[in-house]
Amino acid sequence: MINGSLFHFEKIIILLSLLTGATVTKSLPEKVLVAPVPCTMSNGKPRPYPCEFAIQTVWFMGKNGNVVGKITPGNTSVKLPKSKADSSFTSTAGESFIYTVAVDFRRINVPAFPKKEVTIPGLGFYTISTSTVDSPISPGELTVVRRLDVGPSLPKSGLRPVRASFKLQLNYAMSGGQPTLIAPVRYIQIANPITFTKFPSSINLYRDRAEAWITCSASVDFSK
């Protein structure tokens, strides 16, 4: 009888929540993060191998490590204050500004293939690369900016994401009396070197072969 009363009471609560717009929540046990669906490629088809990571936030830091901007998968454009650049220099070609970039990403799938051990101290297995085009298709369009190791196990939900940092240089030349941004970074990817080579040659877009990627538009705000 008690169980029946509790069931009846729970139904009343749910009905009231539907009428008032309130949200009923239940306490669930902690679970590891798992990608809800297989990763898809640019053509909308499932990726042959589940992508290992998801990029959450890309932070831009200037003097004293202060955050001066960020991009996310839903907002990929940022203007960085000139006065807060980590450093800058002038040359005959123009003026350059340097910021620190920190990529926060999280593992969402285990590796499709066992990673190869790197015997050189300090040289990690996974690569983080940038490109001045938003969809690279050849090695010459990528620049490796960081190598790091990431554990193969899925993290617990409360664990902080992995963070990897590198330097970003934004170069400006004068054109018509105005500073013009020259060949800025437009793309960041995280790659598993083994999985990257397992794709058929018909899949030539690097964003489809990468474990995670994000396009970006970073520029300098000369008024700040």
Side-chain angles (χ1 to χ4, degrees):
M1 182 66 181
I2 293 177
N3 290 338
S5 299
L6 288 176
F7 177 72
H8 181 67
F9 179 73
E10 186 176 35
K11 290 201 322 186
I12 293 175
I13 292 297
I14 293 174
L15 178 62
L16 288 174
S17 70
L18 293 174
L19 294 174
T20 62
T23 301
V24 177
T25 59
K26 292 185 177 181
S27 178
L28 298 175
E30 186 180 75
K31 294 182 178 180
V32 296
L33 295 179
V34 179
V37 295
C39 304
T40 56
M41 298 187 295
S42 302
N43 59 8
K45 294 182 179 180
R47 192 172 183 266
Y49 312 103
C51 54
E52 294 185 37
F53 307 115
I55 294 175
Q56 297 181 316
T57 309
V58 179
W59 303 95
F60 296 83
M61 290 168 282
K63 293 178 180 177
N64 303 317
N66 294 327
V67 174
V68 295
K70 71 175 183 178
I71 62 173
T72 62
N75 185 9
T76 59
S77 180
V78 66
K79 285 186 173 293
L80 308 172
K82 172 185 175 180
S83 63
K84 295 184 179 180
D86 189 41
S87 61
S88 62
F89 61 90
T90 303
S91 66
T92 55
E95 195 169 5
S96 297
F97 304 90
I98 298 173
Y99 300 84
T100 298
V101 177
V103 182
D104 282 358
F105 63 97
R106 185 174 291 277
R107 177 176 288 286
I108 58 174
N109 282 299
V110 298
F113 304 94
K115 83 180 189 70
K116 182 180 179 181
E117 293 300 324
V118 180
T119 57
I120 303 175
L123 191 64
F125 171 74
Y126 290 91
T127 60
I128 297 182
S129 303
T130 61
S131 179
T132 57
V133 299
D134 59 11
S135 188
I137 58 174
S138 67
E141 293 177 323
L142 283 182
T143 299
V144 176
V145 293
R146 180 74 188 274
R147 294 178 182 270
L148 75 161
D149 285 318
V150 184
S153 301
L154 289 168
K156 293 183 178 179
S157 59
L159 207 63
R160 290 183 178 181
V162 178
R163 173 170 289 188
S165 301
F166 60 90
K167 295 292 184 180
L168 173 71
Q169 182 172 314
L170 297 174
N171 302 312
Y172 280 82
M174 296 301 294
S175 177
Q178 296 294 325
T180 301
L181 185 57
I182 306 298
V185 166
R186 299 185 182 277
Y187 171 89
I188 302 170
Q189 76 168 31
I190 306 169
N192 178 322
I194 294 177
T195 307
F196 197 88
T197 62
K198 297 293 184 179
F199 285 77
S201 58
S202 58
I203 302 177
N204 61 350
L205 296 179
Y206 282 13
R207 61 172 58 182
D208 292 337
R209 294 173 175 245
E211 302 306 320
W213 59 272
I214 189 170
T215 58
C216 58
S217 175
S219 59
V220 175
D221 187 340
F222 283 78
S223 67
K224 294 183 179 180

